[in-house]
Structures are given as C-alpha cells and as structure tokens.
Amino acid sequence: MLKLESEGEAMLEKNMTPSERAARAAKQDAYAAKLRAQRSELEAKEAAMEAERRKAAANHIAGTMGIGRVAVDVGDVRSAYEYEIHFDTLELYVPLPASVTKANQLSVDVSPRQLSIGLKGERQPFLKGTFKGTVHPDDTVWTLEKAHARPGSLELKLEISKTTPGQHWPGALELPDGWCCRWAQPPTVPPAAPPPAKPALLSLTAPPPGSPNDLAPLSALAGSSRTLEARMVAVRPSLLESGYAILDDALDAPTAALLRAELGVLKAKGALRAHQFGFKDEEAGVAQVYTKPHIWEAETTDASVAEAAPRLLAALESLAVPRAAAAAFPTLQLVDGRPLEQSAGATGVVVKLQCNEGAGGCFPLHYDNAGPPSRRRLTCLFYLSVGWSEMDGGELQLVPWLGAPVTIAPLSGRCVLFLSDIVLHRVLPCRHERFCFTIWMDAIPSATNRPEHLRLDVRTVRDPAADLRLHAAQRLLSRAVYDEEYARSLSDCFEGAPAVGKALLAAHSKHVHVSRSNAAFSRLADQARALKQVTTPESDTATAATLPVFKDSPQQVASSVVASSVVASSVVASSVVASSVVARVLALDRSRVHVKVRVRGF
Ligand SMILES: O=C(O)CCC(=O)C(=O)O
Ligand SMILES: [Fe+2]
C-alpha cells in the first residue's frame, strides 16, 4: 500500500466510496509492481554489463586486445618483440640489429599461421614463430620506425589483419623451443653513455695470483664470441665490399701477451717447424719441396703443439672465432669449425701458429686460396707483436685488385680479415721476431673455386677493374698484372736462399710469358696494368718526413693538398672509416709527392 503524502489526497480519500477506494488501491499496486519489474530489469542489465567488463578485463590480462613484451632468452637483448592485439589487427614491434638501416635489408615472410623475419642473404631468420590465431598475409603492412625504447636504433613495426575480428588471442606468437635471437646486441647500454674506449673482443682474464702465465679460467670467455660476432657484423660491409676488414684490439693486451708467450715457448721447445712449400719446376717437370727462410710454423692439429702447449690449444678453442665468423658472414657460406659430415674428423678450419724471424722472414705475393683443391674462403689473422715499431717491419700488405695497396702493421691484438680467394697479399721483411696466428675457414663445397672462378673469358670482361674486383678469376691475370711486384716480393723473401729464389723467379716469368702468348689475354692484362698504375700510389719508397708541419713555402702547401687528396682517395678506396689519418711524405720531386698513409681507428 502506498503512503499518501499530501493533505489534498487525504481529503479525497475521506470522500471516496469503498469500491472507489479498492479500485484506486489496485491501480497503485499495479504501478508499483511495474516499477519493481523495471528496476530489476535495469539491475540485471547492469550486472550483465559488469560481467562483460570483468570478462574483458580478464581477457586483457590474458592477451586479448592486450599488449605484451615477450622476453625470450636472447642474450643481451631484453625482449624479442612486443605486441598489441587490437579488435581486428595484431601489431608487432621487433628490435633490429644495428646493421639494419633500410627496409630492403630485411626479409619478412608472413603466411596465415607463420611469421619469419631475417636479414637478406642469411640462412636463418632471427625471429620466427607461429601466430596464436590466423591472419591475412596479404593485409600486412611493415615499416621501419625509431625504436622508442632504444633511442638511436630502429625497430620493425608489422600491422597484420586477424582473419576473425574480435577473436581471442592468448598472446601473439608461439616461438620454437630453444629459440634465440641470433643478432644479439647490447641495447642495455644506455645510448647517452660514452662507449668504452676500445673494448677488447676476446679476453682471457688475468691469471689468478700464484699461477703465473696461466691461461685459465677460460670460462671468462663465455660470451666473448658473441662480442666478436657483433664486431665482425659491424665490419661486414667493409669485408664484403672491399675484400678485407681490420679489427683493432680484437684481443686485449694481457690475452695477446699470454698467447705470444705460449708461442715463444713452442718456438723454444722446437715445436714450430720451418715453413715448407711445394713447387713444380716446369723445366725439371717434378714437384719439389722448398723451405721458406726465417718462417716457423705449426698447425694446432700437430702432435708437437698438443704436447708442448695444451693450454694454448684450449685458449684458441675458447676464442670460438670460426663460430663467430660463420654467424657474422652468412653469405660467405663458411663452415663453423664443427667436424664436417662424411669427412673423418675434418672441420674445414685450419689454425696456423707462426713466428717470423727478424732476419727478414716474409711471404711473397700470393692468394691463400690459389685454386682447387683449396676451399678457403676467409683468412683471419691475429697479430701478437707486443711493442711493434715501424723499424721492425713485417707489415702485412694487401693488394686489393688494381686498388691502392694497404699496408697493415702487425700490432698486438689486431685482427685482419680478408677473402682468401680474392685478396692478393704479401708480408714485408721482418727485422724483429714476430708472432701471429692465422685461422683459415673453408666455405661449403660449392661456394669457392666454382668453374667461373677458374677460367677467364677475356671477351666478356668489359672493365677489368670493376668486373674482377671481387671475382676470384682475377687470380688468372694476377701475375701478368702484378709482374714486377711478384718478382720484387720473391727477391725480398728468398734473399737468404738465392737458388730457390732464382727458380721461383724463373717460374714466375715463364708463367707470365706463357699466359701472354694469348693476344687477347695480353691486351686485357695491359688494360688492367694501366688501371693499376692510375690507382696505386707508390707508397713504399724513400724516407719519411711528416706532412702537416709545412706552412711557409707554396710548394709545401701544394704538397699538403696533393697528399691530402691521396689520403682521401686511399680512404675511400679502402672503404674504411678512419678516426685519424697519418700521412707521411716519403719523397718530393717537381711533379709528384709520394706519401705513406696510415689510417687508424677502423
Ligand atoms: O704473417 C702474415 O701476416 C700473413 C701470413 C700469410 O700470408 C700466410 O700464412 O698465408
Ligand atoms: Fe697468406
């Protein structure tokens, strides 16, 4: 019964008949019932909405229309990718290796169930997974954006349409078991912080007190091959575009000193043997084995090494150079040092330990892969000469095809990488004992010495500089083009063994003579020689005088300008970014200035 509030209503009720009063009460009851029904309907609706909201909130946490950061064990990388799931799209944000600056470096493959993202030319993608729902691959947009969490670097943004809008997705991608991002780089380093002055790639920690000259603990090297890989990735453009790259401080000072000491022990124990090489004397028609003066060597597989320096072997093994190089240069199709299938114990990797005696030990011009049966693709040299000075000699000289020779001091800790079948090189005479080790890495069988690398159709070579710059067929022309340089390097190296030197020189001249009997070949060689003379500064003559001190005489100013342009062209020619360039005037005459250029901070 409704309570009557107003005085007027009370008066009305007083004057009503009983039947009127009953009818009125029924009407009021019906109205109240209707109100109650309406209220409970409203409450039910609100409850349903609240349930919806709670469900949506629960789903949000589980990933539907949610966002997530997927942390995977990727070494230094904090997250593999981030995602946002919207009503009808999935957005992924994938951090990229520092080497990626353009979208066309990436290979992005989207199928209805799978995603794979990698660097073009690399065998393995760095991110792959199965979508937690299905997508329209054709309705996918991907762009490179500045990574909001890592200033200075880029990330890949993918917008992918879900096939069923509004569908619940419990996350974005299912990653394969044990998946690991292969390009690990350190985004944890705050971008504003200055990088460490010269981080060493590979470091054996200092020996614990009381165990001098101990190479343990090698566990300190765990992860250093990843650092080496990252530094190799950074020089990949230089290696692939100019054929060589230089990594300074690849070994830190204590590590280099320890390795050098171990090599010294090997030498002292007689575990290094004199360098020998086979050479077929065409006149005699038989292959002979000769000894190269003042060069002592051993391979790490030699029993003498395992016996004399077992810790050295363990240390070299721990540096994991082949694994890092195979991962950093996938287009070279290198083996990675693990035993090869079907070839009992062979790995395709050779590690040579070397000592050049100071009595002039050197190497004449050669390619490390001169043709079959060699499969060498990458040469990695590590120098160990503590306190090297210019007086000591023993520089490695690379001769990029028709380009300016690059003279590289064997500075302790320095690593030089070059393509074994494409970079002609020699070692200048040593005036001081010099230690180093070389790691040669083979490529898979079909990757080197292919038929087109072993013959030269002279009619198809239009521009001998450009066409053969990175082509192993340059080896066929090399002796004719660098005739005098081969001869000079042979004389330098066999000064102490004149009979051998004479035989080698005669064989070289004969080789050039025979190949030049083909007129087309000879023309091509001359064309290449002409180009070589244009691009090769005469850099290894006369006495040094420092360049930038000249200020007063016009001739001196002019010489600075000429020298600077030579410096600039050498730097460009060698595709190197230099932090400092030292140019030295070696000789000055009326028309030319001969400069020696040293580039630091590759
Ligand atoms: O000692 C060097 O710097 C390089 C040696 C070399 O070229 C070789 O062993 O093939
Ligand atoms: Fe070599």
Side-chain angles (χ1 to χ4, degrees):
M1 181 67 82
L2 286 177
K3 193 166 172 256
L4 299 173
E5 301 283 348
S6 71
E7 248 181 66
E9 277 178 295
M11 288 289 292
L12 209 68
E13 188 165 2
K14 231 175 159 185
N15 300 327
M16 274 182 170
T17 64
S19 63
E20 281 174 335
R21 234 181 255 137
R24 185 169 172 269
K27 220 169 150 184
Q28 285 171 337
D29 284 349
Y31 182 65
K34 194 175 162 193
L35 280 180
R36 272 199 303 274
Q38 277 178 350
R39 181 171 298 157
S40 61
E41 198 182 333
L42 205 69
E43 279 172 1
K45 269 192 185 155
E46 271 175 5
M49 278 166 65
E50 174 61 12
E52 263 315 287
R53 205 184 57 74
R54 281 169 187 267
K55 197 171 146 203
N59 282 342
H60 180 90
I61 293 161
T64 296
M65 292 173 214
I67 69 172
R69 169 186 287 260
V70 176
V72 180
D73 177 17
V74 290
D76 292 323
V77 177
R78 246 181 281 160
S79 69
Y81 64 89
E82 290 173 22
Y83 66 87
E84 286 177 23
I85 300 174
H86 298 278
F87 187 74
D88 51 5
T89 58
L90 162 70
E91 286 179 15
L92 287 175
Y93 299 85
V94 184
L96 292 172
S99 59
V100 175
T101 53
K102 292 195 203 101
N104 66 6
Q105 289 171 267
L106 292 174
S107 150
V108 178
D109 199 7
V110 184
S111 73
R113 293 304 312 272
Q114 306 277 339
L115 172 71
S116 133
I117 303 169
L119 295 176
K120 270 191 191 149
E122 289 205 357
R123 269 172 289 173
Q124 295 292 327
F126 58 79
L127 176 62
K128 67 175 178 191
T130 307
F131 292 119
K132 298 219 174 167
T134 51
V135 304
H136 287 302
D138 296 341
D139 200 5
T140 297
V141 178
W142 55 275
T143 43
L144 292 199
E145 301 198 339
K146 287 189 183 142
H148 57 93
R150 295 181 301 134
S153 48
L154 293 174
E155 67 187 7
L156 172 68
K157 178 183 177 189
L158 288 131
E159 289 177 76
I160 310 168
S161 288
K162 291 154 79 176
T163 43
T164 316
Q167 189 187 44
H168 169 77
W169 278 40
L173 279 176
E174 194 71 53
L175 300 173
D177 279 352
W179 181 85
C180 176
C181 186
R182 291 182 55 254
W183 56 266
Q185 61 161 17
T188 39
V189 176
K198 280 217 165 178
L201 286 186
L202 306 173
S203 175
L204 300 165
T205 43
S211 55
N213 199 24
D214 193 344
L215 294 176
L218 297 175
S219 59
L221 283 166
S224 58
S225 77
R226 201 159 48 214
T227 320
L228 176 60
E229 183 184 329
R231 286 204 51 197
M232 285 179 166
V233 166
V235 297
R236 184 164 56 197
S238 168
L239 178 70
L240 300 182
E241 283 157 28
S242 57
Y244 69 93
I246 300 170
L247 291 173
D248 274 340
D249 299 313
L251 304 169
D252 69 9
T255 305
L258 283 168
L259 291 171
R260 191 211 160 283
E262 290 283 302
L263 285 192
V265 169
L266 278 184
K267 173 101 194 316
K269 285 186 176 173
L272 300 181
R273 53 189 152 69
H275 175 107
Q276 295 197 314
F277 62 99
F279 162 64
K280 192 170 171 194
D281 187 333
E282 296 297 337
E283 301 274 289
V286 286
Q288 304 253 23
V289 175
Y290 295 99
T291 297
K292 187 182 292 168
H294 315 303
I295 304 288
W296 298 86
E297 297 174 338
E299 286 177 14
T300 47
T301 45
D302 292 356
S304 60
V305 175
E307 245 168 57
R311 288 171 309 168
L312 175 69
L313 289 190
L316 291 171
E317 185 79 12
S318 309
L319 299 179
V321 176
R323 208 170 54 221
F329 311 122
T331 53
L332 299 183
Q333 300 183 280
L334 300 168
V335 299
D336 67 1
R338 279 180 291 212
L340 298 171
E341 275 168 38
Q342 296 161 346
S343 50
T347 60
V349 171
V350 170
V351 183
K352 182 186 74 163
L353 311 165
Q354 182 187 317
C355 168
N356 297 29
E357 278 176 347
C362 63
F363 286 72
L365 276 177
H366 67 282
Y367 291 90
D368 283 352
N369 177 340
S374 175
R375 284 191 197 154
R376 283 180 189 167
R377 185 71 174 120
L378 184 70
T379 300
C380 313
L381 276 156
F382 287 85
Y383 292 106
L384 302 169
S385 304
V386 181
W388 180 89
S389 88
E390 229 164 311
M391 298 298 291
D392 297 339
E395 292 97 334
L396 173 72
Q397 194 168 62
L398 305 180
V399 187
W401 181 244
L402 307 184
V406 181
T407 303
I408 302 167
L411 298 182
S412 186
R414 177 172 269 181
C415 166
V416 180
L417 306 168
F418 58 86
L419 302 180
S420 315
D421 52 349
I422 283 171
V423 178
L424 182 66
H425 59 283
R426 65 171 291 194
V427 178
L428 301 177
C430 261
R431 289 177 288 276
H432 194 273
E433 193 177 48
R434 165 196 193 264
F435 288 93
C436 67
F437 64 94
T438 308
I439 302 179
W440 282 298
M441 295 177 66
D442 281 2
I444 60 165
S446 58
T448 53
N449 292 329
R450 298 161 64 86
E452 67 269 26
H453 300 152
L454 306 176
R455 60 163 190 258
L456 187 65
D457 183 349
V458 292
R459 292 159 308 179
T460 61
V461 180
R462 300 262 164 272
D463 175 352
D467 295 355
L468 296 174
R469 199 171 68 85
L470 289 176
H471 203 297
Q474 64 170 258
R475 293 174 297 184
L476 297 158
L477 271 179
S478 163
R479 281 181 183 270
V481 172
Y482 289 99
D483 188 359
E484 298 80 357
E485 289 86 345
Y486 269 87
R488 198 184 324 143
S489 72
L490 285 169
S491 308
D492 286 346
C493 291
F494 291 92
E495 222 173 45
V500 182
K502 204 168 151 215
L504 291 172
L505 268 171
H508 162 71
S509 300
K510 187 166 176 197
H511 179 108
V512 174
H513 181 74
V514 169
S515 58
R516 274 191 177 275
S517 61
N518 177 313
F521 178 97
S522 202
R523 269 199 304 278
L524 185 61
D526 286 338
Q527 206 185 332
R529 282 171 69 83
L531 290 167
K532 175 195 79 169
Q533 281 166 4
V534 170
T535 52
T536 305
E538 292 168 37
S539 59
D540 56 355
T541 51
T543 334
T546 310
L547 175 73
V549 294
F550 301 135
K551 282 213 181 85
D552 304 331
S553 90
Q555 187 201 24
Q556 287 166 344
V557 172
S559 70
S560 308
V561 173
V562 177
S564 308
S565 65
V566 175
V567 171
S569 65
S570 304
V571 172
V572 171
S574 56
S575 307
V576 153
V577 179
S579 63
S580 86
V581 175
V582 180
R584 281 164 180 248
V585 175
L586 296 174
L588 206 57
D589 60 40
R590 269 161 211 262
S591 55
R592 309 180 68 176
V593 60
H594 302 281
V595 295
K596 184 167 185 176
V597 177
R598 186 131 49 89
V599 181
R600 289 196 172 280
F602 295 103

